[in-house]
Amino acid sequence: MSAVLEEPMTATTENARTLAGRLSAGSVIRANEPLGRRTTLRVGGPADLYAEPASEADLAAALTFANERQLSVFVLGRGSNLLVRDGGFHGLVICLAQPHFTRILVNGGRLECGGGAKLRDVANEAMRQSLAGMEFFEGIPGSVGGALRMNAGAYGSEMFRVVESLRFMAYTGHAETVPVNQVEASYRSCPFFKTHIALGAVLRGQPGERAAIKQRMNEFSQKRWSSQPKAPSAGCAFKNPATIPAGKLVQELGLKSTRVGGARVSLEHGNFIVTEPGAKAQDVLDLMALIQERARTERGIELRTEVQIIGEDV
Ligand SMILES: Cc1cc2nc3c(=O)[nH]c(=O)nc-3n(C[C@H](O)[C@H](O)[C@H](O)COP(=O)(O)OP(=O)(O)OC[C@H]3O[C@@H](n4cnc5c(N)ncnc54)[C@H](O)[C@@H]3O)c2cc1C
């Protein structure tokens, strides 16, 4: 049986209908899928085509289809480090949200995690298994795949410190598992995953006391929520320059709570841009450009965005 297209048929859904015909029934295919609600910033336009493959075979078939039709492909995690422009994404957005990719299997002192598994679920499973070292995932609202691409980190640790091996798929559809030392990662980036899809990872923990692990998670959570806004954001907007944390720089430039349309710099944290209902992606982009301009002209610092930006302007 083939996947069900969850959209009424129009001329623009032709690609979606054909793709749905090639994938199994467990896969989800949609046309003109709004992406704002799939991001923590809550802004931005739709994806022409959106797919949640049910298996590696379906993912490979979706990539083959995109190659044949020369469609751009973007892999969406939980959208917590992502800004989609208001005109949306013209191409195929793939999200590993189906159960095959969200599983977390326990294997001795290791967790075998799918690329779509939530970091919070990973942290909680590690705690249940008395595995220390993954407490820092608590409060990072992303997926394992997004954390691999971004080498996500907090409180002195980062993703690549706990990874033992990785499974990935090239855009040709070829899948492979490799030890972590074959893939390079740096501060908030793993360039390998610009050109490969993270299917999953084996994460290694250290034997620990469950109560102590729980306590560390609680401490991290308290620290986080006393210094971060609750309003919609994509986490840190900018990478920290070598000389000063980006949030401190924004504060020193007197830009805290500066507003453009429905976007403003958070009062709680200078490196967070938060949005209000009705905000546009363009408001966020203009506010980021304003901050970058002030950092450049007043301090000679080039602020590089940490948040990933995709799509087209309106
Ligand atoms: C309130 C808040 C707090 C945050 N705190 C932190 C923090 O403490 N530390 C930190 O590092 N980050 C933090 N972030 C940012 C964000 O949560 C992380 O970068 C996270 O790893 C992104 O994961 P995601 O699944 O949401 O990825 P997305 O935002 O969906 O995507 C980010 C990038 O990863 C790529 N990607 C996603 N999945 C895959 C995949 N399977 N294969 C290949 N590429 C993929 C996307 O193509 C994109 O380029 C925070 C964000 C918010 C909103």
Side-chain angles (χ1 to χ4, degrees):
M1 218 202 295
S2 58
V4 179
L5 173 60
E6 297 182 353
E7 276 275 310
M9 191 60 194
T10 69
T12 57
T13 60
E14 173 55 31
N15 269 341
R17 191 182 60 146
T18 307
L19 178 57
R22 294 203 194 170
L23 306 192
S24 72
S27 290
V28 170
I29 312 294
R30 299 202 182 110
N32 304 315
E33 173 71 0
L35 291 179
R37 66 188 183 201
R38 295 186 179 277
T39 73
T40 52
L41 261 175
R42 319 295 292 175
V43 296
D48 289 354
L49 263 181
Y50 172 87
E52 291 179 5
S55 63
E56 287 189 13
D58 276 5
L59 173 59
L63 293 172
T64 301
F65 174 83
N67 285 336
E68 283 170 14
R69 306 234 168 165
Q70 297 188 316
L71 301 174
S72 306
V73 175
F74 178 77
V75 185
L76 172 71
R78 297 192 56 79
S80 64
N81 198 40
L82 188 63
L83 174 59
V84 182
R85 291 177 192 268
D86 293 313
F89 182 78
H90 298 312
L92 170 64
V93 169
I94 291 176
C95 185
L96 304 183
Q98 291 297 308
H100 174 76
F101 293 107
T102 58
R103 71 201 182 283
I104 301 171
L105 304 176
V106 181
N107 183 357
R110 294 166 175 78
L111 299 182
E112 298 175 3
C113 305
K118 293 183 200 172
L119 295 176
R120 163 163 295 199
D121 292 346
V122 175
N124 282 327
E125 189 58 53
M127 189 258 292
R128 271 194 293 274
Q129 302 300 326
S130 301
L131 290 175
M134 294 182 237
E135 298 89 336
F136 72 99
F137 286 148
E138 149 52 59
I140 305 182
S143 65
V144 166
L148 287 167
R149 165 69 188 90
M150 301 309 303
N151 191 16
Y155 304 113
S157 197
E158 61 185 13
M159 183 64 170
F160 273 78
R161 288 217 198 142
V162 295
V163 175
E164 189 172 86
S165 63
L166 299 160
R167 184 159 176 79
F168 65 85
M169 186 176 281
Y171 280 73
T172 55
H174 170 75
E176 203 176 324
T177 303
V178 293
V180 68
N181 60 14
Q182 290 192 18
V183 175
E184 284 199 8
S186 54
Y187 168 61
R188 298 299 170 266
S189 183
C190 174
F192 181 78
F193 287 114
K194 286 184 186 173
T195 51
H196 297 81
I197 299 174
L199 302 175
V202 174
L203 308 183
R204 191 191 48 243
Q206 308 302 326
E209 290 255 331
R210 191 178 305 169
I213 294 170
K214 176 83 189 141
Q215 192 183 332
R216 265 195 302 278
M217 284 169 65
N218 287 341
E219 282 167 14
F220 288 167
S221 178
Q222 272 165 20
K223 261 196 206 167
R224 190 175 278 280
W225 293 117
S226 60
S227 62
Q228 274 182 14
K230 293 191 174 56
S233 77
C236 290
F238 301 105
K239 294 189 183 191
N240 285 325
T243 47
I244 183 171
K248 187 158 189 281
L249 175 62
V250 171
Q251 182 168 2
E252 287 183 7
L253 290 169
L255 291 173
K256 263 195 167 181
S257 88
T258 302
R259 168 188 292 276
V260 175
R264 68 175 166 76
V265 178
S266 157
L267 268 178
E268 291 93 342
H269 194 307
N271 200 12
F272 276 56
I273 290 178
V274 297
T275 59
E276 294 169 353
K280 298 282 180 207
Q282 194 59 50
D283 298 338
V284 180
L285 288 163
D286 290 348
L287 183 52
M288 290 201 300
L290 183 156
I291 295 167
Q292 285 171 312
E293 174 65 16
R294 291 276 302 271
R296 190 179 302 123
T297 53
E298 291 181 32
R299 303 289 284 270
I301 295 175
E302 277 304 322
L303 278 177
R304 290 181 300 133
T305 51
E306 180 170 323
V307 61
Q308 306 289 295
I309 302 169
I310 63 161
E312 311 288 330
D313 292 327
V314 182

